[in-house]
Amino acid sequence: MSVPYETAAYEPPESPESPEEHLERLLGRALNSFELPDETIRRLDCALAHDSSLHSAHHSAGLHRETYRHTWLLADGSAVTLWELVHNTALGSEPQHEVYADEEELRAATARLPLPPDAPDFELPVMVHPSPVPEPRHVYLTDDSADHARRLLRRAENADRPGADITTLLLRTAFAHQITQAFGRPCRAGQVGLGFSLYEHAFLLRDGQEISLWEVEHTATPDGRHMCEVYPTEHAARAAMERRAARLA
């Protein structure tokens, strides 16, 4: 059965919407968006990608209703789904939009609609689609991540630290990050106070891309002072540690 999409605003935009834009458009047309739980809206602030699909439809004698499934992929790898109900309750009337966070609430709202019980109906099976972006490798924190990247790069003393391209990307689009200690090297005999630590600073960008910077902290300096170096790859960071250690061996 063909579905009269002209009754609902579901034609894809000329350019792809961001997850934030899609959510804003959905909430803007829904009459009951204020009823959604605040926690659900807060979780959607960290959405990386979204997908929408027609779930079911019901048409008879000029009356109609459609339900749509809107799903967002979040930074922690989980997903949030909102259900949209689009319907007209009188012949020739404008379509109305409602949104629900729970499928049971959607069914209850659908049951209240004045549609004939013998109207033709179809329901599409739930389809599992591949995630638009890879599942994040880290559990991120949204805590002024661009400023964290700025402070990390500012304290790096090595000449071969990450270049302007990575720096600009992080400062403009990083919105979540995680710090993990990847390596600790104990002091060697006869070199009290000499040691290395390696940290991975993983950043999540607004387009779903993940970038890691590798920080080496050490005291392998001629005067034994503490030094920070930052590298774009783990391999480069470990190679730097070996070079430092060899000079003072």
Side-chain angles (χ1 to χ4, degrees):
M1 177 187 295
S2 62
V3 179
Y5 285 96
E6 67 273 13
T7 62
Y10 293 103
E11 291 298 330
E14 294 182 359
S15 59
E17 289 182 304
S18 68
E20 295 86 355
E21 291 169 338
H22 184 76
L23 177 62
E24 182 178 357
R25 195 161 66 93
L26 172 63
L27 299 182
R29 64 180 177 244
L31 301 176
N32 66 330
S33 58
F34 61 90
E35 297 178 348
L36 290 174
D38 292 339
E39 177 61 25
T40 298
I41 301 301
R42 282 194 294 269
R43 292 185 67 198
L44 289 171
D45 285 340
C46 296
L48 303 178
H50 69 279
D51 178 70
S52 297
S53 60
L54 177 66
H55 178 62
S56 66
H58 199 151
H59 296 263
S60 177
L63 301 180
H64 71 88
R65 64 97 176 142
E66 297 96 31
T67 60
Y68 294 84
R69 185 190 303 109
H70 303 272
T71 302
W72 286 263
L73 177 67
L74 307 187
D76 61 3
S78 64
V80 170
T81 295
L82 295 181
W83 299 90
E84 183 177 21
L85 174 63
V86 183
H87 63 87
N88 65 345
T89 56
L91 187 62
S93 64
E94 292 294 321
Q96 299 182 8
H97 301 254
E98 302 171 21
V99 62
Y100 298 94
D102 185 86
E103 192 172 3
E104 288 301 322
E105 294 178 351
L106 170 71
R107 293 195 182 99
T110 301
R112 293 194 295 267
L113 297 180
L115 288 172
D118 58 346
D121 188 26
F122 75 87
E123 183 163 322
L124 302 178
V126 175
M127 302 295 292
V128 179
H129 301 282
S131 299
V133 296
E135 182 174 321
R137 296 182 296 109
H138 302 270
V139 178
Y140 291 97
L141 297 176
T142 54
D143 185 18
D144 205 355
S145 300
D147 184 62
H148 176 75
R150 181 182 296 107
R151 288 184 283 109
L152 172 64
L153 293 166
R154 183 182 298 160
R155 64 177 179 259
E157 298 185 48
N158 53 310
D160 53 346
R161 59 186 175 273
D165 53 342
I166 293 180
T167 300
T168 300
L169 187 63
L170 290 175
L171 298 185
R172 287 182 177 176
T173 65
F175 78 97
H177 68 278
Q178 183 193 46
I179 307 171
T180 305
Q181 184 167 5
F183 177 87
R185 179 171 180 160
C187 302
R188 299 198 302 272
Q191 294 180 314
V192 178
L194 175 62
F196 293 88
S197 293
L198 176 62
Y199 299 91
E200 180 185 9
H201 298 256
F203 295 90
L204 183 62
L205 309 187
R206 294 195 178 278
D207 62 358
Q209 183 181 0
E210 296 176 276
I211 291 180
S212 287
L213 298 182
W214 298 84
E215 179 187 20
V216 177
E217 290 187 346
H218 65 86
T219 55
T221 54
D223 57 359
R225 72 177 182 88
H226 179 273
M227 185 177 182
C228 169
E229 303 176 24
V230 177
Y231 296 91
T233 67
E234 182 179 7
H235 176 76
R238 291 187 180 276
M241 288 193 294
E242 293 302 321
R243 289 195 304 270
R244 288 284 183 181
R247 291 173 189 171
L248 297 182

